[in-house]
Amino acid sequence: MKKLINSADTVLEESLDGLAAAHADILLLGADRKFVRRRNLKPGKVALISGGGSGHEPLHAGFVGHGMLDAACPGQVFTSPTPDQMIEAAEAVDTGVGVLFIVKNYEGDVMNFTMAAEMAGRDVESVVTNDDVAVEKSTYTTGRRGVAGTLIVEKIVGAAAEKGMPLAALKALGDDINRRTRSMGVALLPCTVPAAGRPNFTLGDDEMEMGVGIHGEPGRRRVPLGSADAIAAEMLNAILGDLAPSKGSEVLLLINGFGATPLIELYLMANSAKRILDGAGITATRFLTGSYVTSLDMAGASITVSVLDSQSRELWDAPVHTAALRWGI
């Protein structure tokens, strides 16, 4: 294993210290590094909190700031944060009008965020993301996994919260965006968890895992390596078959790298995906390309399609200022 670390035991703590130092204008670390919070809270704004196992950076801490999250709770690598982290984060960022949890659909995350909501002693609602169409159940989940579509929910709901939308309406909006968003991924090479020191699954030189999860969970099947066009076509056939957008729909297209995929390949995938959408009569009017919901050093990518309407398009375009996303400011 070759990694830029000092010790497998201190990877998360040292990384969080570096994040907070590099973005001290927008971020603060909570006590004992239990959460990352927005430096300047907005009075009267519903607080948005997300979190999950580390190893998916910049999700979630990289999306804390103006127009997105107010706090993020990082667990150890691929391990859910604990309820006390969410409770303390809520106490730190709730300005008195409620808290919305945005939770990826993994059993540990859902269980711990649910416990936190019950124990927080404040007004809390939750949105659970489950955008992965690859499999109905997986290693960590009952039901579909929450993957890169979580970023889209956090951005759009975050913009609405910044504009003053109340808690109940924000939950309804988050649930609606989740329903209109689908994803699927493919792995070309596995990732290596620092504490384990070895790849968490194996792939042959001529194999890929179609429908892989962001923790390296098995997908639909292991298949021979194909061309970018063929990979994009299989993923989009699954996405569009499940999402069933009407011809003429306007969508946001997210091409997300898993950590070890260069941008030249991700933009190539964006080109392949756009041509397929065009052929289906679907127009991608908004794009995001890069490594935003990663799996440590896994090579591969996911495709996410989210159907836009006038409200979600306006909220996607709204200003954002976080460590990982910045525009309009």
Side-chain angles (χ1 to χ4, degrees):
M1 179 180 72
K2 293 182 178 180
K3 290 187 178 292
L4 297 174
I5 63 175
N6 295 311
S7 165
D9 296 330
T10 61
V11 169
L12 176 57
E13 290 81 0
E14 293 181 71
S15 178
L16 289 172
D17 287 347
L19 173 73
H23 301 284
D25 57 326
I26 55 175
L27 302 177
L28 291 172
L29 282 181
D32 301 319
R33 305 182 185 90
K34 287 184 178 179
F35 56 89
V36 178
R37 55 155 286 188
R38 181 173 170 172
R39 176 176 285 275
N40 298 312
L41 300 178
K42 184 175 182 179
K45 172 191 172 298
V46 172
L48 268 59
I49 300 175
S50 191
S54 298
H56 306 303
E57 288 75 16
L59 192 80
H60 295 275
F63 302 134
V64 172
H66 179 94
M68 288 191 75
L69 300 175
D70 293 279
C73 303
Q76 292 295 322
V77 173
F78 295 174
T79 303
S80 300
T82 56
D84 65 296
Q85 291 179 251
M86 293 74 126
I87 293 169
E88 292 187 29
E91 183 176 351
V93 300
D94 183 6
T95 65
V97 292
V99 176
L100 182 68
F101 288 161
I102 300 176
V103 188
K104 301 187 304 301
N105 188 37
Y106 295 94
E107 290 177 353
D109 289 3
V110 171
M111 178 180 67
N112 289 346
F113 271 97
T114 299
M115 290 176 60
E118 293 170 351
M119 297 166 61
R122 61 191 70 244
D123 195 4
V124 179
E125 295 283 358
S126 297
V127 172
V128 177
T129 61
N130 59 351
D131 51 301
D132 191 351
V133 303
V135 293
E136 291 299 325
K137 291 187 178 182
S138 187
T139 310
Y140 296 86
T141 62
T142 299
R144 293 182 174 185
R145 304 174 291 215
V147 289
T150 309
L151 155 61
I152 296 172
V153 173
E154 291 178 354
K155 170 62 182 81
I156 291 175
V157 176
E162 204 72 48
K163 291 176 179 289
M165 185 178 285
L167 179 58
L170 288 170
K171 174 178 168 47
L173 174 63
D175 288 339
D176 182 53
I177 298 302
N178 179 62
R179 282 191 295 268
R180 292 195 274 121
T181 303
R182 299 289 188 277
S183 303
M184 188 168 172
V186 62
L188 308 183
L189 291 172
C191 64
T192 299
V193 176
R198 61 184 182 276
N200 64 348
F201 63 99
T202 59
L203 280 171
D205 290 343
D206 61 346
E207 290 182 321
M208 59 185 182
E209 184 74 27
M210 183 60 69
V212 72
I214 58 173
H215 306 94
E217 310 100 308
R220 291 188 167 188
R221 63 188 192 283
R222 192 158 294 189
V223 296
L225 183 65
S227 68
D229 283 346
I231 294 169
E234 179 161 350
M235 289 196 288
L236 279 170
N237 284 341
I239 289 168
L240 297 180
D242 194 274
L243 188 57
S246 58
K247 186 168 280 193
S249 291
E250 177 183 349
V251 302
L252 162 65
L253 176 63
L254 166 59
I255 305 296
N256 173 66
F258 283 148
T261 309
L263 271 171
I264 191 171
E265 296 178 28
L266 296 179
Y267 280 117
L268 190 153
M269 286 292 289
N271 182 57
S272 295
K274 181 184 181 301
R275 285 191 282 103
I276 293 166
L277 291 174
D278 288 344
I282 308 298
T283 303
T285 62
R286 299 294 185 274
F287 292 82
L288 185 62
T289 304
S291 294
Y292 294 102
V293 182
T294 63
S295 182
L296 293 168
D297 55 347
M298 183 155 57
S302 62
I303 297 177
T304 301
V305 175
S306 185
V307 177
L308 296 171
D309 57 17
S310 58
Q311 180 191 39
S312 58
R313 182 176 60 248
E314 178 184 346
L315 292 171
W316 178 261
D317 291 344
V320 60
H321 185 186
T322 69
L325 286 184
R326 298 189 185 195
W327 60 71
I329 292 179

